[in-house]
Amino acid sequence: MSAQAAKRITDIGPPHYDKFLHPVIKKNYGKWVYHETLAPGVLCHVAESGDRIYTVRAGSPRLLSVQTLRRFADLADKYCGGHLRFTSRNNVEFLLDNKEKIEALKKELNELGFPVGGTNNAISNIVHTQGWVHCHSSATDASGIVKAVMDVLYDRFTHEDLPAKLRVALACCLNMCGAVHCSDIAILGIHRRPPKIQHDVLSKVCELPTLISSCPTGAIRTKTVDGKQSVEVVEEQCMYCGNCYTVCPAMPMNDPENDGISIWVGGKVSNARSAPKFSKLAIPYLPNNPPRWPEVVRAVVNIVDVYAKNAKKFERLGEWIDRIGWPRFFELTGIPFTRYHIDDFKHAGLSYARSAHIRF
Amino acid sequence: MSAQAAKRITDIGPPHYDKFLHPVIKKNYGKWVYHETLAPGVLCHVAESGDRIYTVRAGSPRLLSVQTLRRFADLADKYCGGHLRFTSRNNVEFLLDNKEKIEALKKELNELGFPVGGTNNAISNIVHTQGWVHCHSSATDASGIVKAVMDVLYDRFTHEDLPAKLRVALACCLNMCGAVHCSDIAILGIHRRPPKIQHDVLSKVCELPTLISSCPTGAIRTKTVDGKQSVEVVEEQCMYCGNCYTVCPAMPMNDPENDGISIWVGGKVSNARSAPKFSKLAIPYLPNNPPRWPEVVRAVVNIVDVYAKNAKKFERLGEWIDRIGWPRFFELTGIPFTRYHIDDFKHAGLSYARSAHIRF
Amino acid sequence: MADDQKPKTKLLDELEKGPWPSFVKEIKQAGEKSPVCDDLLGQLELSYEEKKGHWKHGGIVGVLGYGGGVIGRYSDLPDKFPNVAHFHTMRVNQPAGWFYTSDAIRTLCDIWERHGSGLTNMHGSTGDIIFLGTKTSELEPAFKELTEAGFDLGGSGSAMRTPSCCVGPARCEWSCYDTLKTCDDLTRQYQDEMHRPPFPYKFKIKCSGCPNDCVASIARADLSIIGTWKDDIRQDDAAVAQYARAGLDIRKDVCDRCPTRCMEWDGQKLAINNRECVHCMHCINVMPKALRPGQERGATLLIGSKAPIVQGALLSSVLVPFVPENELMDTLKELIRRIWEFWDEYGNNRERVGELIQRVGMANFLDAIGLDPAPEMVAAPRDNPYIFFQKEEAAAEPEPAGA
Amino acid sequence: MADDQKPKTKLLDELEKGPWPSFVKEIKQAGEKSPVCDDLLGQLELSYEEKKGHWKHGGIVGVLGYGGGVIGRYSDLPDKFPNVAHFHTMRVNQPAGWFYTSDAIRTLCDIWERHGSGLTNMHGSTGDIIFLGTKTSELEPAFKELTEAGFDLGGSGSAMRTPSCCVGPARCEWSCYDTLKTCDDLTRQYQDEMHRPPFPYKFKIKCSGCPNDCVASIARADLSIIGTWKDDIRQDDAAVAQYARAGLDIRKDVCDRCPTRCMEWDGQKLAINNRECVHCMHCINVMPKALRPGQERGATLLIGSKAPIVQGALLSSVLVPFVPENELMDTLKELIRRIWEFWDEYGNNRERVGELIQRVGMANFLDAIGLDPAPEMVAAPRDNPYIFFQKEEAAAEPEPAGA
Ligand code: SRM
Ligand code: SRM
Ligand code: SRM
Ligand code: SRM
Ligand code: SF4
Ligand code: SF4
Ligand code: SF4
Ligand code: SF4
Ligand code: SF4
Ligand code: SF4
Ligand code: SF4
Ligand code: SF4
């Protein structure tokens, strides 16, 4: 090792992107005029100069071994002069300047088990989180459900046959690291029982004022248990958000019998046509049923299918529901409407139907 | 007096409406097919039977002397077989079965000083409240402002030349007896200083717990003043709603220097096209300037004129603003946008612009 | 009172000018017979000068056996304006739809000239006939004459208020239920609740025959009854064509303004996708000769609107999406009973029913009054994941049908 | 490790089947070289059997001098799965736009094979390269090799997070500012705030080149930078006509879906009323060859989005309607400084900046950071009359211009 390398380097940030850009991109940076889709997963961007850059997008499980990454690197070398990128939904994109090489690349990717697609009105990758693979908070797994769902939605990834983009996201607890709250379909891990308080250690590992103020509904009160300072949870006021556990390990939420999945629909992020919107509750609870979560898969596929069949061109899922109305959404999907669908948190009143606009 | 009359009669309710209906109405009750407008203020409803009932609507100050009422009764006798009604906006309607008599009736009404109009896309009467004529709560007068405004909007009452209906309402305090909160233009009396507490009588005339809990922002705290149980108001937390005064006379709000008028726009009640909506703040404060409140009159007329000039056919004021956006509304009307326009009450966050939809 | 004794009303006199009918003229006119009006004018002129009101806070007065219907009012300058030292108003149940004969009007005038200021509001914001200003001693005599003439008082305080209704079937082709009958029936049904305040706070009912909502029920009534229809809009194609010929731009003015865009006009034929119609009335309003509400009629019931105090204004929200006209009265009575029962038990002092629902949550309210949750009740399902699962359900949830 | 020692993963094996690429395969593949992965699989299989996670709550670990960038993670069954007794992740700043060369990828792989599980997330939800699982003793060596290779850690805890950006000008014709440069500049600028948690809570920045918002900035960033333009949409009429000829129904698919209906298509010519355009991108998305954003480009700055905990999810809301591209970096730096100053002083522990604004009110926040209120900041002005008038203003209000 050199003398310089021995010095501890800090606060340098990432390598400058410039080093990693494809030469065609570097040359035409900011000078793109339009794009075309050549096939699902294959885009062509045309620059003012007339130059073209081709993109081949492949689905990824996001959780990648170095072995697979090296295989991607090899493909990039073979087809792209060593250039690739990842997308904001964790797909991998190969950047080519030679249209002729596209088919061969697609073939190799398919052989390696990486489907090409996810563009335009396909279902793209499911943005997701850690689940049982790496997080202490999870009410469910992440990668397993994603795999089970995408196995069944596979053709929706490789074909662009939906009325519009459809974004699925998953978060394994209410912290929502997958930021699922604005997704066409959100799969959200939830608890359904209050924390089980570990009175014996609580005051040792947690700060009581922080703990008490962490509860959005004020359900936590101090209590002395067996002579030790601890807390109690007013069960009626607890809606199982787990925020107390985030600040205090002595409030574990895990409960195999009661943890599970809720399904949310109709959110979006883009400003295209309608403003961004939050996803709304479709199904309050489905059980955790590893390894393939059949109830969850069925629920998601059902919603996708009903949407695909009924929505008009350019209607995102939430825009479709806005047109047909929520009653019809529940009718068409066969999902029961329950007391849980009616908001009762802070702004609940604003979610009531405050007009006589009704479809029969 | 007869023996029967001597007995105290109670709980009989109003006379049955049936007794008061015009014979043509009685005959065609529930059997109307369509209507036409013959002139501003003059409607013709056609029944299945082919019968027609003609309505002549006249503007009223609502505060009516028995003398004027008797004059209305005389007109009803002369032209309507004794039949008249009032509208939900306090206009008077004469009901005729003879088209020929309409012009003569209109002429008499005009001579008596009662304008005919208020239908369709005219500005109808201003729904209003008591003001200094009869209420203890008022931050302003009611009838005086209505008179001053309608004097200037007179032609808008007698002509139907607006893009759509335009409803003006006035309430003299935040209790909003005029229910102005869903009006195209709302004129609302407001206070701008906290109550002046009468410590000497407070505990005698008011219940402290009721008083304290009456404050929407929790601004009222118990305090002992000169040895007497009383309260204090945390000034920073008081937004001058006057609810404490409603429950406790020892908290008067009146303040000639600071009381005045705020102007709200874009509300509606009907479900036609868009859902009902609340009026939104346009001008936070205008001074009380009796007898003719010139600032208020100018403000209302300005908004009406800008709307009349810019809105499309069938666009209610709020629908017009929805299309052009609030920034343009403030630009076109020349009204300054201030910190007061930004909500800071319960649901404030939901009123922020949560999209990148911006007009430049 | 001699003319030169009349109060000087320099400011108010300004309001006799101008084309709109003048309330000052009305007061002066009544003043010709009633000295009360002179003092009213005097005090009002003072208010105009000082920019503040001169009425004292409330005061409970009324007629024998009634807890409501009169608003007590006292001048804070009784020495200066002795004739309005007392100046109470009486709220009188209006006849449904505000229909009168000239005789009825004259009867009312006579009573109020004898026992009050001779000033009225036709009508108050809630809908009552307002007899504006009298003294305590005249309340009972006025009441006696009123009831003898077939009139009765309305509500005030923590009581039911006089229901009101739009002109409806009496003169409107769009009325989807009998608003006058409903309003009248309800007024009669709840005389006791109106006259003997039994509630945590006031309760208002308003009846509109169709979604145009000409009595503003959705903004101003604890219970809003809005007529609507369930089947298809009745359509007369010939009349549609006639509107087009007469110059109406059907695509722009009708189809493009339909909130769900469920109408198509191809230049020849208007096609309405009635399954997507939200019954907003717009197309019918624009083409009254060509389009009419369907024939399966009834009403939507909505709950909870009110003015801003305390927790912000509310609009009523859907409680029962559709009640057929012939079931309306029975449904209303049963529902009102259950709502009042719940409100009685759980409502705080001065808490309107809409505020109570906000506080306890719609789902709990529905439980309490025995209604099932329906998606029509919400603009959208919840967007926050803060669900209070019911104890018995956790650990034993069946898979929902649609899953 | 011999093959027969591999853990039995009956349930997980099911997830090797099916067409979508399998994360189980990935773990097994990495397991060929790293025993860590076997224990990960073993513990995960147990989670699948028991339907619960087996990680302990948090734990603070890191590299020297940094307070963030590593997520401490410990198994709650360390005896059973000793190789994942520690299983920390390292968050590594991704290069802007997630562009790599094959060499860079290989470098990362080599480092992580040497010092960790050989498992990654490409990428984490915030955008970092995630090195998934290593033990405490390997953190510092891994860090050393990373920095030597030109990489650095991202943020965690109450710190700035690695900003992220859409592909922008690198490959998108719609980018209205240089998202990569902005993202890279910001990442470099705030290395200190990223590595030494100075805040009440986390702070995220995301950069999207246009309102399509391909990095979901409006939903997932405390500061959302969304490209937009101020002048007219560039329009190529010939290309419009070509779309029409090719079968696009311009009226239905473009004009009727424009949120403000500011476009007219008469079958020949497309007319856009650009004053009413809200820059939603729809028409441009549908006709990329015919329509393009204007040339007066820049960005809208929005503030405050976040996930639901504690007071409900937030979307970012408009803070600065438009910053020209050439002023963007300076404006951002100044604004961020002021925002952080205010948040530092007034933010509660674990209070995101969006929550703080909700708590103190937007107007007060604007005052504090020195911005004037603008109507673009609100969807609509307030609808409740609960206005806190400022003391000095009451009693001395000038008449507003428009009155
Ligand atoms: C590569 C990527 C950006 C990146 O830096 O990684 C990207 C790239 C493009 N987006 Fe995107 N978007 C990307 C994530 C997003 C996201 C973020 C997300 O999904 O989390 C959104 C917001 C989604 C939402 O609203 O929930 C997004 C909303 C759009 C839209 C608006 C769609 C709509 O109608 O709502 C367009 C326009 C269109 O597709 O017509 C769009 C259009 C495009 C175009 C066509 C832009 C262009 O001219 O190059 C690019 C290829 C489109 C495609 O995939 O069909 N892109 N795009 C992201 C690919 C993710 C993936 O692997 O699938
Ligand atoms: C007489 C009255 C009912 C009553 O029982 O007294 C009434 C009567 C009619 N209304 Fe109304 N409306 C009456 C108050 C209302 C109100 C309530 C209010 O103003 O406080 C509303 C809700 C206003 C709002 O949204 O803020 C109302 C919203 C409508 C609408 C919907 C207008 C819209 O586009 O939003 C229509 C339809 C139309 O005009 O095209 C309508 C239509 C009608 C029709 C044409 C119905 C018919 O076929 O007979 C009637 C004559 C119309 C006219 O005045 O132009 N009426 N109408 C009320 C007259 C008040 C007045 O003196 O001006
Ligand atoms: C007379 C009338 C105004 C008018 O000029 O027409 C009126 C006058 C008063 N109202 Fe009202 N309200 C009148 C209709 C309304 C309406 C409109 C409506 O009913 O459609 C509202 C808004 C709708 C609602 O109920 O929310 C209304 C909302 C209030 C409130 C606020 C209630 C609330 O829950 O927010 C108060 C305060 C209170 O009850 O303590 C109030 C209180 C009052 C009091 C009794 C003053 C008080 O604080 O005690 C006023 C007596 C004035 C006087 O001396 O004559 N008045 N009040 C209306 C009744 C006439 C009638 O019976 O026909
Ligand atoms: C790794 C990652 C999920 C992933 O699989 O990609 C992640 C993982 C964790 N997040 Fe997250 N968050 C991750 C992106 C997000 C996002 C999405 C985003 O940044 O766009 C969000 C929603 C957006 C937001 O910030 O609001 C998010 C909202 C949270 C929250 C809730 C914060 C809030 O204000 O509501 C917590 C709770 C906390 O901070 O105490 C949280 C906490 C956590 C912790 C540290 C668990 C905890 O309670 O301490 C998780 C560590 C898991 C582990 O062991 O690896 N994570 N977290 C993401 C970071 C990777 C990266 O650096 O690229
Ligand atoms: S969503 Fe919850 S469980 Fe999943 S990674 Fe984030 S904090 Fe952990
Ligand atoms: S889980 Fe959430 S609601 Fe329940 S006690 Fe903990 S913080 Fe409070
Ligand atoms: S609005 Fe206020 S001041 Fe006016 S009548 Fe009603 S309670 Fe009295
Ligand atoms: S005026 Fe309103 S905010 Fe002020 S102290 Fe009284 S009740 Fe509270
Ligand atoms: S509410 Fe409907 S039915 Fe009643 S008068 Fe108005 S338009 Fe006619
Ligand atoms: S009533 Fe309204 S929603 Fe129904 S078709 Fe007519 S315009 Fe459309
Ligand atoms: S956000 Fe806009 S500029 Fe960025 S990639 Fe998406 S479409 Fe292109
Ligand atoms: S960008 Fe959106 S708002 Fe602007 S013209 Fe196009 S479709 Fe309409």
Side-chain angles (χ1 to χ4, degrees), chain D residues 157-161 193 197-205 221-223 303-306 335-360 364-365 368-369:
Chain D
S158 290
M160 165 93 173
R161 293 294 195 276
E193 285 80 0
F199 300 139
Y201 205 10
K202 57 188 82 168
F203 194 89
K204 298 180 178 178
I205 305 180
D222 299 278
L223 182 62
I303 186 114
S305 65
K306 63 173 303 298
L335 207 60
I336 289 171
R337 190 182 61 74
R338 297 194 205 164
I339 292 168
W340 285 352
E341 238 172 66
F342 182 69
W343 185 37
D344 253 14
E345 184 159 359
Y346 296 98
N348 292 334
N349 179 35
R350 293 186 83 239
E351 185 175 47
R352 298 283 284 267
V353 73
E355 293 170 313
L356 170 63
I357 296 171
Q358 304 268 319
R359 180 164 60 81
V360 303
N364 292 327
F365 173 70
I369 64 164

Side-chain angles (χ1 to χ4, degrees), chain C residues 201-403:
Chain C
Y201 205 9
K202 56 188 83 169
F203 193 90
K204 298 180 177 177
I205 304 179
K206 295 202 198 308
C207 316
S208 279
C210 82
N212 280 330
D213 199 0
C214 294
V215 285
S217 72
I218 203 165
R220 300 166 67 164
D222 299 277
L223 183 62
S224 317
I225 308 171
I226 300 183
T228 193
W229 66 98
K230 244 189 153 164
D231 52 347
D232 291 357
I233 290 173
R234 281 181 287 171
Q235 185 173 337
D236 175 342
D237 285 328
V240 173
Q242 216 168 329
Y243 275 107
R245 272 199 303 281
L248 181 71
D249 186 336
I250 295 185
R251 180 166 84 74
K252 224 169 120 182
D253 289 339
V254 183
C255 302
D256 282 359
R257 296 227 174 259
C258 168
T260 58
R261 314 270 160 168
C262 65
M263 318 180 83
E264 290 275 355
W265 168 249
D266 62 5
Q268 306 289 333
K269 168 97 182 110
L270 182 70
I272 304 179
N273 179 350
N274 276 279
R275 285 270 290 174
E276 285 179 14
C277 166
V278 289
H279 307 84
C280 84
M281 291 296 296
H282 174 70
C283 58
I284 298 172
N285 291 343
V286 177
M287 302 196 286
K289 288 185 194 166
L291 302 178
R292 300 173 67 192
Q295 291 184 293
E296 193 184 340
R297 297 180 172 209
T300 300
L301 310 183
L302 304 95
I303 185 111
S305 65
K306 62 174 301 297
I309 308 286
V310 182
Q311 287 300 320
L314 298 173
L315 286 163
S316 289
S317 73
V318 176
L319 189 63
V320 184
F322 188 81
V323 189
E325 179 165 20
N326 61 358
E327 297 170 16
L328 187 56
M329 249 339 264
D330 289 345
T331 305
L332 279 172
K333 281 189 207 157
E334 180 58 25
L335 207 60
I336 289 170
R337 190 182 59 75
R338 297 194 205 164
I339 292 168
W340 285 351
E341 238 172 65
F342 180 71
W343 183 37
D344 253 13
E345 183 158 359
Y346 295 98
N348 292 334
N349 178 34
R350 292 187 82 238
E351 185 175 47
R352 298 282 283 266
V353 73
E355 293 170 313
L356 170 63
I357 295 172
Q358 303 268 321
R359 180 163 61 80
V360 302
M362 175 68 85
N364 292 328
F365 173 70
L366 293 174
D367 261 6
I369 64 164
L371 285 184
D372 287 331
E376 286 83 0
M377 295 169 180
V378 295
R382 70 164 65 234
D383 60 23
N384 64 72
Y386 294 171
I387 310 175
F388 291 90
F389 283 98
Q390 288 182 312
K391 237 186 200 158
E392 57 281 20
E393 284 190 39
E397 195 91 358
E399 185 180 346

Side-chain angles (χ1 to χ4, degrees), chain C residues 12-207:
Chain C
L12 289 171
D13 291 353
E14 284 301 311
L15 292 173
E16 289 187 85
K17 303 172 190 164
W20 189 254
S22 166
F23 73 102
V24 176
K25 274 193 193 149
E26 294 296 321
I27 303 179
K28 290 195 175 171
Q29 204 161 57
E32 287 161 20
K33 294 214 178 170
S34 157
V36 172
C37 293
D38 288 342
D39 275 2
L40 176 64
L41 275 175
Q43 181 176 313
L44 191 58
E45 178 75 11
L46 192 65
S47 288
Y48 270 53
E49 284 164 8
E50 295 178 350
K51 304 184 189 181
K52 62 181 261 207
H54 277 289
W55 300 109
K56 278 203 278 202
H57 191 291
I60 296 169
V61 285
V63 302
L64 197 69
Y66 277 28
V70 179
I71 303 295
R73 189 60 73 225
Y74 302 88
S75 170
D76 70 0
L77 299 167
D79 297 339
K80 205 158 170 188
F81 305 108
N83 288 315
V84 293
H86 306 194
F87 199 63
H88 318 315
T89 57
M90 301 184 80
R91 295 178 173 175
V92 179
N93 288 156
Q94 82 283 6
W98 300 291
F99 280 95
Y100 297 89
T101 53
S102 44
D103 285 347
I105 292 281
R106 287 191 194 97
T107 306
L108 289 168
C109 290
D110 294 348
I111 297 173
W112 197 234
E113 201 167 47
R114 277 197 290 276
H115 299 292
S117 66
L119 290 174
T120 72
N121 288 147
M122 294 298 268
H123 294 80
S125 252
T126 305
D128 291 304
I129 301 161
I130 302 292
F131 279 174
L132 204 61
T134 194
K135 43 187 178 196
T136 312
S137 57
E138 293 294 337
L139 292 171
E140 197 57 37
F143 176 72
K144 183 164 183 291
E145 288 202 38
L146 274 171
T147 49
E148 282 168 8
F151 286 89
D152 199 346
L153 293 190
S156 65
S158 292
M160 166 92 174
R161 293 293 194 276
T162 313
S164 77
C165 68
C166 77
V167 67
R171 201 201 53 197
C172 181
E173 66 269 35
W174 297 327
S175 200
C176 293
Y177 70 96
D178 191 336
T179 53
L180 281 76
K181 181 166 178 1
T182 307
C183 177
D184 190 78
D185 283 354
L186 291 169
T187 310
R188 270 171 230 294
Q189 175 77 25
Y190 300 118
Q191 286 287 311
D192 193 33
E193 285 78 1
M194 199 177 298
H195 296 143
R196 289 154 207 101
F199 300 138
Y201 205 9
K202 56 188 83 169
F203 193 90
K204 298 180 177 177
I205 304 179
K206 295 202 198 308
C207 316

Side-chain angles (χ1 to χ4, degrees), chain A residues 22 83 87 96 117 192 195 216 223 225 249 291 306 311:
Chain A
H22 191 291
H83 291 281
T87 72
L96 302 84
R192 292 191 304 159
K223 194 185 173 184
V225 180
V306 172

Side-chain angles (χ1 to χ4, degrees), chain A residues 8-53:
Chain A
R8 199 161 180 276
I9 310 168
T10 67
D11 300 291
I12 56 169
H16 198 278
Y17 56 93
D18 213 36
K19 291 196 263 183
F20 297 152
L21 297 180
H22 191 291
V24 172
I25 286 183
K26 223 183 252 185
K27 177 178 161 208
N28 298 288
Y29 193 88
K31 301 261 156 71
W32 302 101
V33 187
Y34 68 90
H35 74 276
E36 287 175 323
T37 306
L38 305 184
V42 185
L43 303 170
C44 165
H45 284 79
V46 182
E48 283 172 16
S49 64
D51 288 352
R52 277 151 209 264
I53 188 91

Side-chain angles (χ1 to χ4, degrees), chain B residues 29 35-36 77 134 141 147, chain C residues 20 48 87 102 173 178:
Chain B
Y29 194 88
H35 74 277
E36 287 175 323
D77 282 342
H134 205 270
D141 189 35
K147 164 77 174 142
Chain C
W20 189 254
Y48 270 53
F87 199 63
S102 44
E173 66 269 35
D178 191 336

